[in-house]
Structures are given as structure tokens and as C-alpha cells.
Amino acid sequence: MIRNILVTIVLVFSFLGNTYAQERLVNKANEKYDAYSFSPAIDIYQRVLDKGFVSADLLKKLGNSYYFNANYEKASEIYKRLVDDYGTEIGPEYYFRYSQTLRSLGDYDNAGVMMSKFTTATADESTGSRYKTDKDYLEEIEKNSNRYDISPFGFNSRYSEFAPAFYKEGLIFSSDRDTGNFARYRHSWNSKAFLNLYKLNADSISQNEVVKLGKSVNTRYHESTSAATKDGNTVYFTRNNFKEGKHVKDDEGIVRLKIMRATLENGEWISLEELPFNSDNYSVAHPSLSPNEDYLYFASDMPGTLGESDIFRVTINSDGTFGTPENLGSEINTQSRETFPFVTSKDILYFSSDGHIGLGGLDIFATKIAYNRFTGPVLNVGKNVNSKMDDFTFIFNEETREGYFASNRTDGMGEDDIYSFVETRPLDFDCIQEISGTVRDKISNEVLVGATIKVIDENNEEILTTITDSNGNYSLSIDCNQGNFIRALTEGYVPSEEYLGKSDGKPRIMDFYLERGTVTAGFGDDLAKLLQLSTIYFDLNKYQIRPDAEIEIQKVIAAMDKYPSLKLKVNSHTDSRGKDSYNLWLSQKRAESTVAYMISKGIAENRLQGEGYGETRLVNECGNGTKCTREKHQLNRRSEFIILE
């Protein structure tokens, strides 16, 4: 009896010791997991699980570790066990991730079942409704599929190559090829070597040769995902957060990512600086420039993020400073990952996501963001660019129809590979509606020649304008994915307006019948305001009349033809940027240019005067030394037509 008791005591202590050892292992794995060190966390969690010690928390973290390392097959196994054994203890995001892993394995039926459970479980009604409407996503993806001729990138290696970016006549891309043998420079996220930036065909010296971008840019830590200005003299890129050669961790022990900017001078990258909205407490990464290089798009998990990472943009001011980052909103960003943005010359935003419905892992999506709208449809670009694995860092040249992207699909040469492609059929997401009609006098029914037709969006921003022809007719094309107001106006008449909501894109005839109104004008009034002219802009540092300005000035000429006694003074103004004396000279030249143009169109010289005021009559606070947005500075660059007689 005593012997049996002693044996039992030994077994109990052995069990308790074993349990304590497993708890220590789990705590160690949790530390690695919390620090985003997924690869060692996987090793430890799997060892504990194989010994029969299991919990919902362990399965969550092990499944997530596989998921974020793109091992969707193993992640699916763990998520299945989590859902089967602990379904009442998990949040909706685990149904979503399980659905994504099933999709990557081609099990679309069960993926749909898990997505339905996610939709039911989610507390976010807008998110739930999005997935309810996406139940026929495979049909939608199929419609957009097979629009690309794809070829492997000729400079892939057995290591990772991804993040292609246009640079001069060639490319910049990211790779771990030269550090693959140095174990001490491996990253604990995935146990892979640290990344550097490389260039290809960017200068005559390195034609068809891959060379590193430069020592001042590349370090022994991660550098990846870059964006360069068209002149090749400025590059933005992603780097690990470190100072004085050491990693900088946040309060949770995580090394975040930051965007850096460097300038090329005499063949060397100098003036390296981190962007002012970087932080030690969140990541800012994956930069991309707008076509005019006045916005920087990026991914971040900064405060205000809707999911795990969102796409943001920030204004780049003319002096190189930055505005305040803005989230692109809930039509683009989801509860999951949105990342790797790229904007084409036609204002198409491409990005990668595992939050929008796809084929598995990260898929590439596109949406049109013209007129600063972020509410249009988001479309999956389809097979064969998208696969069951991760597809990302998509870039595209609208003129040549050529581009590149990266993927970790199984038929590649290395961990991640770059692929080149040619687009053979454009993505079909534009909804263009043709609007036409005639503008007439309501009483006489006479056509009104030169009447202005404006398209104004729901944010009260003017996005299009045209004028009626000699028969009083007009025509224009609008985006029918967005509600718009169509407004008709002309001198001496009360403006008329009609609202057009989202539609199916069928052509629409809209005739306007304007009533005469009373417009009083006197000495000192601005005729531009009375005629509701659009702002007359000049190109930066130029004073020649632009074609869009000609349309507005023609309306002033028409008023002077109608009222022969009317005399005007053209006042021209600049913003505060530049030297005061230069701005005064430039505004005077613009005033003189406007007067000369009107004289060339038949207006007598003695009926016109012109004077430039430079920056002496600003309409807002944007004086010398004041930081203002491009939009605010633009308000000061204006012309006035002041009535003298």
C-alpha cells in the first residue's frame, strides 16, 4: 500500500514537473509571438502541442504564426482544430482566416461555410454586409481573370525577390540574396536573411546586371519596398527601426518599420531622413508616389487603422514637408491586412489584401481613386496574377501596359519571386455615363449659347465643367458609381441643378430651362464672381494663358461684347511662396498676359487695365513662413476682373 502511494506521489510530481516545463516553453513562445518572432514561436508551440498540451490560446497563436508566415496548409490544420474544439471561445477573425486558408487550398465550399460563420459572428454590420454581397466572388474573379501574359523575372534567385519599383529606365527591387549565408543577420519573423535594395538597368554601368543600391541606403537590417521620383533623384524606402546600429523596440518589444527618404547627389545617396509621421510605436511602410508626386501612399497600423494594417496617404508639400496622413476609408481598408499600394497615371490604386475576398492569402485588388474618391468598387484583378498563395507588390505602366508583381506561388525559383506581365485586356470597373442635353430660355425657348454646365460631387467639389455650343447643346461623361449634381448657369439667369445618383451607366438626356434673373453690378465688383467663373490658373512660374483659362476668359469677353461701355481692370495675384519681388513681377506679367489675350480677341485696349499685386492681397493666413497645403496656397493664385465703368 505504502509502495503504491509512493509511486503515485512520484508520478504526480513528475506530471507537475512536466506541466511546469511545458508552461515555461509556452511562456517563451508567447514572448517570441508578441515580438513578431513567428518562426521560433512556431517551433516551440508545435513542440508543446505534439506533447499533448493544448489550449485555445496556443492554437490561436500557432495558427496565426503559420498564417502570417504564409504557410496556409499548416495554418488551416491548426485553425480547423481551433474551430472544432473551441468554436465558442474564439473571435470572428479566426473564422475569416480559416476561410482564407481553405480558399488557398482550393476548398471553396468549406471556405464559404467559414465565411458565413464570420459574417454571422462579426459585430461590424458594414463589414458583414460586404461579405454577404460577395458570396458570388468566384464568378466576379473569373470575369476579371486571364488578362495578363506572365513571365518569370529574369533575375530571380533561390532567395527572395519582391517589391519591384520603377526607377529611371529600370527597376529597384528587394532581395536577401547577398546575406543568405550570414545567420546572425536573419530575421526572427520567418528565419530568413535580412533584405537589401538592388537596382537593375538603372544606368549605363549596370545594364543587365543586378547591383546594390548603395551603402548609405542598405544596412545589415531590412530595407525593402521603395518608390522613386521620375527624375530618379529622390527615393523613399522601408527600413527596420534602428538608431546608432541597434534595433529600437516599442513598449511591447517589437521592432517597427519606418519610411526613409534619400536624395541622390553626384552618384551618392545623401540626406537620409525618416519621415515625420514615423513612430517607434507603430509601423509605417511600403511607400508609393502619386502620378504627380504630390501624395505619398503607404501602409500602416498607426492610430485610426481599421484593421491589422491600412492604406493611408499624405500630402507632399512643395517645400518637401508633409501634411497629415489620412486613412483611405472603409471601402478600401478592412479588418484585416491592406498593404503594398501603387497608383497608376490613370488614378487606379492597386494594393494587396487578405480582407477583401480572394483566392487565398494576399490577393491584388484595384479601385479607381480619381477626384480623390475612395468609395468606388474594389475589384480582384483575377487569375493568373492572383493565385492560392500570396500575391503582392504590383506595379503597372498604363502607357506600355507592362508591369511586375511578386508571389510566393509554388512554381517559383525562390521563397518569393518577381514576375513580369503584359496586360492584354483592361480591368473592367469603370462605370461611365454619357450625359447630354440642351440649355434654353424658359420663356422664349431660345437656346443659350455659352452656358456653363458643371458637375459637382456630393462633397460639393467641382469635378467637371463644359459649355454649350452654338446650338445650346452640351455633352459630358461622368462616373456613375458616384452621386453627382449637374448644374447649368449663365449670366442673367437663375442657375438650375439636378441630382444624379449611382446608376447603371445608361446614357441620359438632361435639358435645362433657365429663368431670367436680376444681376446687378457696379463699380468695384468682381465680374468673375458675378459670372461664376472657375478660377483662372497659370502653370507654376509661368504667365502664358492655359487652354482651360481661355474658356473662362471668353465668358468675360462675351460680357464685354454685350455691354460696350463696360471697362475692366484685371488684377492678378500669387501665393506667398518665392521672393516677394519675384511674385510681384510674375503677377504683373500674368495681368498683362490676360489683357493682351483679350485685346487679341477684339476688346479695345482703352477698356482694359492690368495690375499685379504679387502676394500683397492674400485671401487666407498662408503668408511667408506659414506652412499651408497646396490647396490653400492655390486659393491665393487668382485673377479678378474689377468693374471700372
Side-chain angles (χ1 to χ4, degrees):
M1 184 67 177
I2 294 175
R3 182 175 181 277
N4 290 337
I5 292 173
L6 289 174
V7 170
T8 301
I9 291 173
V10 170
L11 289 174
V12 168
F13 273 100
S14 175
F15 173 77
L16 291 175
N18 198 16
T19 300
Y20 179 68
Q22 302 312 313
E23 287 179 352
R24 290 182 59 189
L25 280 175
V26 170
N27 289 336
K28 184 177 181 181
N30 288 343
E31 290 176 4
K32 297 294 184 182
Y33 179 90
D34 291 338
Y36 286 64
S37 297
F38 292 132
S39 186
I42 287 173
D43 293 340
I44 298 172
Y45 285 138
Q46 194 65 59
R47 282 167 55 194
V48 174
L49 185 63
D50 290 344
K51 290 180 180 293
F53 293 86
V54 63
S55 68
D57 185 68
L58 186 148
L59 292 175
K60 288 177 184 178
K61 291 177 177 177
L62 179 56
N64 289 345
S65 297
Y66 281 126
Y67 184 84
F68 291 123
N69 259 336
N71 189 336
Y72 297 123
E73 184 174 0
K74 293 295 293 185
S76 187
E77 293 176 9
I78 301 301
Y79 285 145
K80 182 181 188 307
R81 188 167 176 180
L82 176 67
V83 168
D84 289 346
D85 296 346
Y86 301 95
T88 60
E89 302 177 30
I90 63 176
E93 66 271 22
Y94 292 96
Y95 290 111
F96 178 83
R97 290 175 191 156
Y98 184 26
S99 175
Q100 290 289 77
T101 63
L102 289 169
R103 192 172 292 115
S104 73
L105 300 175
D107 188 354
Y108 296 113
D109 290 339
N110 283 321
V113 172
M114 289 301 112
M115 188 57 70
S116 296
K117 290 187 176 183
F118 165 77
T119 301
T120 302
T122 183
D124 184 339
E125 293 183 1
S126 63
T127 302
S129 64
R130 170 188 289 146
Y131 294 111
K132 287 175 185 175
T133 58
D134 282 342
K135 62 182 180 180
D136 297 324
Y137 68 91
L138 286 177
E139 181 178 337
E140 169 101 2
I141 292 173
E142 201 62 41
K143 184 178 73 172
N144 293 327
S145 292
N146 302 313
R147 298 180 301 106
Y148 303 96
D149 289 337
I150 296 178
S151 303
F153 184 54
F155 299 88
N156 288 326
S157 72
R158 64 187 180 91
Y159 298 104
S160 285
E161 279 77 34
F162 70 101
F166 295 120
Y167 177 60
K168 296 183 178 179
E169 299 302 316
L171 292 174
I172 296 174
F173 64 91
S174 186
S175 176
D176 63 356
R177 58 177 62 196
D178 282 357
T179 54
N181 295 322
F182 296 94
R184 69 191 184 100
Y185 292 159
R186 292 182 183 272
H187 194 285
S188 58
W189 178 300
N190 55 9
S191 291
K192 298 298 187 298
F194 281 92
L195 299 158
N196 283 156
L197 291 173
Y198 297 79
K199 62 180 179 178
L200 171 69
N201 295 340
D203 51 60
S204 58
I205 299 174
S206 61
Q207 289 295 309
N208 294 318
E209 181 183 359
V210 174
V211 296
K212 283 189 175 180
L213 192 60
K215 291 183 179 179
S216 57
V217 170
N218 288 318
T219 65
R220 62 190 181 94
Y221 300 113
H222 273 313
E223 283 82 30
S224 68
T225 52
S226 62
T229 54
K230 292 183 178 69
D231 61 13
N233 292 329
T234 301
V235 66
Y236 299 84
F237 62 95
T238 305
R239 172 183 281 177
N240 277 134
N241 184 16
F242 76 92
K243 293 178 183 177
E244 298 178 355
K246 295 182 179 180
H247 276 130
V248 177
K249 298 181 179 180
D250 65 10
D251 296 338
E252 298 176 357
I254 300 169
V255 179
R256 299 292 183 173
L257 299 174
K258 292 187 174 183
I259 294 179
M260 309 294 292
R261 178 167 62 181
T263 304
L264 187 66
E265 187 173 305
N266 297 323
E268 296 292 331
W269 291 105
I270 62 170
S271 304
L272 263 72
E273 58 177 331
E274 66 171 74
L275 303 193
F277 45 89
N278 286 334
S279 173
D280 293 340
N281 296 314
Y282 54 78
S283 289
V284 177
H286 315 319
S288 177
L289 288 164
S290 65
N292 294 330
E293 300 179 355
D294 51 356
Y295 286 104
L296 183 74
Y297 291 80
F298 61 92
S300 179
D301 58 351
M302 64 173 55
T305 300
L306 304 179
E308 293 172 20
S309 65
D310 283 2
I311 296 175
F312 293 77
R313 76 169 185 177
V314 64
T315 302
I316 305 174
N317 300 319
S318 59
D319 60 358
T321 59
F322 296 88
T324 301
E326 60 176 315
N327 189 298
L328 296 196
S330 60
E331 292 296 323
I332 292 173
N333 293 313
T334 71
Q335 292 180 337
S336 298
R337 293 180 293 176
E338 278 69 47
T339 186
F340 303 119
F342 179 81
V343 181
T344 74
S345 61
K346 293 185 178 180
D347 289 319
I348 307 299
L349 168 66
Y350 290 91
F351 63 97
S352 290
S353 171
D354 62 1
H356 295 276
I357 299 296
L359 296 172
L362 289 171
D363 270 22
I364 296 164
F365 296 84
T367 184
K368 192 163 188 176
I369 57 171
Y371 313 119
N372 293 325
R373 294 178 182 153
F374 307 113
T375 57
V378 174
L379 299 184
N380 188 301
V381 303
K383 308 168 186 176
N384 44 2
V385 161
N386 284 327
S387 69
K388 296 177 181 179
M389 301 300 288
D390 284 337
D391 308 291
F392 53 102
T393 58
F394 182 100
I395 63 174
F396 182 53
N397 185 317
E398 294 275 14
E399 285 67 44
T400 65
R401 317 308 296 174
E402 297 174 343
Y404 300 85
F405 70 98
S407 178
N408 66 345
R409 58 192 61 184
T410 56
D411 60 357
M413 179 183 296
E415 297 290 337
D416 301 306
D417 288 291
I418 295 173
Y419 296 83
S420 63
F421 67 83
V422 177
E423 186 187 65
T424 58
R425 176 168 54 90
L427 189 62
D428 182 19
F429 58 78
D430 281 340
C431 180
I432 303 300
Q433 185 173 24
E434 302 296 330
I435 307 295
S436 61
T438 306
V439 181
R440 297 177 180 272
D441 184 295
K442 187 173 182 178
I443 304 300
S444 67
N445 207 41
E446 292 180 354
V447 297
L448 298 178
V449 178
T452 300
I453 306 296
K454 294 185 176 183
V455 180
I456 299 167
D457 67 14
E458 292 171 327
N459 296 318
N460 202 33
E461 294 182 3
E462 182 181 321
I463 58 174
L464 286 175
T465 184
T466 188
I467 61 173
T468 56
D469 61 19
S470 58
N471 296 314
N473 298 324
Y474 75 92
S475 64
L476 46 82
S477 300
I478 65 171
D479 180 358
C480 54
N481 289 312
Q482 171 73 32
N484 293 294
F485 297 88
I486 314 299
R487 182 181 300 169
L489 60 156
T490 192
E491 180 193 3
Y493 288 84
V494 177
S496 178
E497 184 175 273
E498 186 171 342
Y499 176 73
L500 277 179
K502 296 181 181 180
S503 71
D504 58 5
K506 293 180 180 179
R508 173 80 178 270
I509 295 176
M510 294 180 65
D511 295 329
F512 290 93
Y513 297 87
L514 304 186
E515 294 186 70
R516 286 190 175 274
T518 301
V519 179
T520 58
F523 176 82
D525 287 339
D526 183 1
L527 188 63
K529 293 181 179 178
L530 295 174
L531 297 179
Q532 301 184 50
L533 300 186
S534 297
T535 305
I536 295 172
Y537 292 124
F538 294 84
D539 289 328
L540 185 64
N541 294 327
K542 295 182 180 180
Y543 50 83
Q544 292 80 7
I545 301 297
R546 296 187 346 184
D548 57 339
E550 287 188 71
I551 297 173
E552 302 305 303
I553 298 174
Q554 283 291 346
K555 299 173 188 176
V556 178
I557 294 172
M560 297 190 77
D561 286 339
K562 186 172 183 178
Y563 302 102
S565 62
L566 181 62
K567 293 184 179 181
L568 298 176
K569 181 184 178 185
V570 179
N571 293 344
S572 181
H573 308 269
T574 69
D575 60 37
S576 63
R577 293 174 292 183
K579 293 183 178 180
D580 293 4
S581 57
Y582 173 78
N583 285 337
L584 190 64
W585 172 84
L586 181 62
S587 64
Q588 182 63 35
K589 296 298 290 183
R590 287 175 173 175
E592 292 173 359
S593 178
T594 303
V595 168
Y597 176 85
M598 296 174 72
I599 292 172
S600 73
K601 300 301 180 182
I603 302 300
E605 185 174 353
N606 64 358
R607 298 176 64 193
L608 294 167
Q609 297 179 27
E611 184 173 357
Y613 290 88
E615 59 184 87
T616 62
R617 296 185 178 182
L618 303 177
V619 298
N620 54 30
E621 75 280 8
C622 298
N624 289 334
T626 303
K627 290 184 178 180
C628 284
T629 63
R630 288 179 67 252
E631 292 75 14
K632 282 192 172 183
H633 280 304
Q634 188 169 274
L635 294 175
N636 291 311
R637 299 200 312 272
R638 67 199 190 280
S639 291
E640 300 167 333
F641 297 85
I642 305 302
I643 297 173
L644 300 178
E645 290 183 21

